[in-house]
Amino acid sequence: MLVPDPPAAAAGQTEDRTARVRFVRPTGWRTDESAGVDLRVRGDDVVLTVRSRPSDRAIGDENASLLERLPGSVDGLLLVGCDVWTTAGAPARLVEYVRPDEEGDVAGAHLLLVTGRHRVDLTIERPLARMTATDDVVFAVLDSVRVLDQVTAREPRTLETLPVLLSGSTLTGPSLGAEAVSTLQNLAGRRWNPALLRTDGGRELVAADLVGRFGTVPPDTATVLAPWAEGVQPTTLDQHDDAGRVTRLQAWSGTVVDTGADGRSVVASVPPERVVGLLAGRVGIRPTWTWPFRTPVLPGDLLDRRLAGGGSTPDLPGAVASVDPTLAAFWAAPWTVSALVRPGRTRPLVVVSAEGIGFARVGRTEGGATAFTAEASANVYRTLVRALLG
């Protein structure tokens, strides 16, 4: 395994060492005395921990056991990605996850390494709301990690099978028809019109206990209405699959309208971090291996017809399929197409999930050709975080 030289500590940086690894981190981070760990370092919104133990297991076995254990370690933990890591000087995996916490969700990056004699776990956690702001420094630290042990372990020729672990994507609440949702939105910031009680939509709201029989608005309903009264624009996730199923999830600041394929909607007030989890579940975020396509662009009209789904999806041209079997397998799998539109934007961000394979992003079209590139699951999750939490 050829490993680049580790970056030298520059101004404002400090090199830390344990018995097994070394890395460079910002000087402002402080070392904590912690029992049961090799090293713990804290920075602004960041906690880095190194642990090691004797092990002669292969990286695939260690990674499989980690992926099986993590979801049950904290109720509601979501695995968002798993990638082969090649710069540390030993077989390694980077596993990314998000776990609930009393003070808000926490994003974690878990670098797992094996030397043939030891297993080393380096984790970096920070608040999910600060994930975008801290990503550069977190990955600079991860990129600087180098193993100090003698390494006898080898990267396997075949990667281990990843478990199918999806996040919860069900929003609970009363089911409403389109007229009831429209009637509810019309209540925001307006005086209650008694005549609305006599409409089908008004009666449905009363039956769902979202509005009282005499027009009173319960506190929970008032919370749902607040973003609408303020004129906040939603983040919208439109989805369709090859079978023709169409859904829409709209998220305002704390208010979500989740419209299913049957046209009925669930309306609820949920924290923004919970909305990220809902979107992650709908997009299908999960640990997947990411295999790049050899073909960076496709004819725009061909890709548009494949994205449309339905019963007459076009075949990938034979000349492309023969030189790019990864793209051919992705093209042939069932697709779910997700279009995410952020407030103030008109051009959607389009992501394709190919069943059992992974993700791809649809880019810009120039000269009749559209960019179509494989995308890591964790990067798709980052897109959702940026869209909802900034």
Side-chain angles (χ1 to χ4, degrees), residues 4-62:
D5 292 334
Q13 293 183 326
T14 297
E15 182 179 277
D16 275 330
R17 289 173 177 250
T18 71
R20 311 293 168 212
V21 295
R22 59 174 169 160
F23 58 89
V24 175
R25 48 86 173 174
T27 300
W29 293 10
R30 63 189 184 277
T31 302
D32 275 1
E33 294 294 334
S34 300
V37 304
D38 297 4
L39 179 68
R40 177 161 288 152
V41 183
R42 295 182 184 272
D44 294 336
D45 297 323
V46 176
V47 180
L48 181 154
T49 305
V50 182
R51 294 182 175 89
S52 64
R53 61 173 174 78
S55 173
D56 59 1
R57 300 176 73 196
I59 185 63
D61 295 331
E62 291 285 10

Side-chain angles (χ1 to χ4, degrees), residues 17-357:
R17 289 173 177 250
T18 71
R20 311 293 168 212
V21 295
R22 59 174 169 160
F23 58 89
V24 175
R25 48 86 173 174
T27 300
W29 293 10
R30 63 189 184 277
T31 302
D32 275 1
E33 294 294 334
S34 300
V37 304
D38 297 4
L39 179 68
R40 177 161 288 152
V41 183
R42 295 182 184 272
D44 294 336
D45 297 323
V46 176
V47 180
L48 181 154
T49 305
V50 182
R51 294 182 175 89
S52 64
R53 61 173 174 78
S55 173
D56 59 1
R57 300 176 73 196
I59 185 63
D61 295 331
E62 291 285 10
N63 189 45
S65 65
L66 174 65
L67 294 177
E68 291 171 359
R69 175 182 59 81
L70 270 177
S73 62
V74 177
D75 187 32
L77 183 143
L78 167 65
L79 288 170
V80 301
C82 180
D83 296 286
V84 175
W85 195 260
T86 60
T87 61
R93 302 287 183 265
L94 180 67
V95 175
E96 295 188 72
Y97 61 88
V98 176
R99 63 174 176 83
D101 186 78
E102 292 180 358
E103 298 181 359
D105 287 0
V106 172
H110 188 136
L111 184 59
L112 168 67
L113 309 103
V114 297
T115 67
R117 298 179 178 181
H118 292 89
R119 163 181 167 150
V120 182
D121 298 87
L122 187 149
T123 59
I124 305 182
E125 294 194 330
R126 68 270 201 208
L128 180 62
R130 295 275 297 156
M131 183 179 190
T132 301
T134 57
D135 254 357
D136 286 347
V137 67
V138 165
F139 276 89
V141 172
L142 292 172
D143 284 334
S144 74
V145 174
R146 298 294 184 272
V147 170
L148 297 174
D149 260 354
Q150 179 182 355
V151 177
T152 60
R154 294 289 180 265
E155 181 68 51
R157 293 181 178 273
T158 303
L159 292 177
E160 61 274 16
T161 300
L162 299 178
V164 179
L165 298 166
L166 299 178
S167 67
S169 59
T170 301
L171 187 69
T172 58
S175 174
L176 303 175
E179 183 180 343
V181 174
S182 178
T183 302
L184 187 63
Q185 288 178 312
N186 287 334
L187 291 176
R190 297 183 178 90
R191 185 184 298 275
W192 174 255
N193 181 356
L196 291 177
L197 286 173
R198 296 188 289 272
T199 66
D200 290 341
R203 286 191 288 269
E204 192 171 354
L205 294 178
V206 172
D209 294 325
L210 291 171
V211 177
R213 291 172 55 194
F214 301 103
T216 55
V217 178
D220 287 349
T221 303
T223 301
V224 169
L225 296 177
W228 292 333
E230 297 168 0
V232 177
Q233 295 299 307
T235 297
T236 302
L237 179 71
D238 286 313
Q239 291 185 291
H240 67 268
D241 58 24
D242 286 346
R245 184 174 180 271
V246 177
T247 63
R248 165 173 282 191
L249 191 148
Q250 293 176 286
W252 288 260
S253 178
T255 295
V256 174
V257 177
D258 181 11
T259 305
D262 60 358
R264 296 189 65 80
S265 302
V266 174
V267 181
S269 177
V270 296
E273 290 182 349
R274 167 88 190 286
V275 179
V276 176
L278 282 170
L279 291 178
R282 300 304 168 82
V283 173
I285 298 298
R286 63 196 184 280
T288 59
W289 300 124
T290 304
W291 305 104
F293 304 147
R294 294 182 178 178
T295 312
V297 297
L298 291 168
D301 58 346
L302 174 73
L303 184 57
D304 285 344
R305 285 187 289 133
R306 180 64 184 92
L307 290 169
S312 57
T313 57
D315 293 329
L316 190 67
V320 176
S322 62
V323 299
D324 198 342
T326 301
L327 175 59
F330 192 100
W331 190 274
W335 281 14
T336 296
V337 181
S338 303
L340 183 72
V341 180
R342 299 170 60 181
R345 308 285 180 90
T346 56
R347 182 175 177 270
L349 188 150
V350 181
V351 174
V352 177
S353 173
E355 185 176 306
I357 297 180

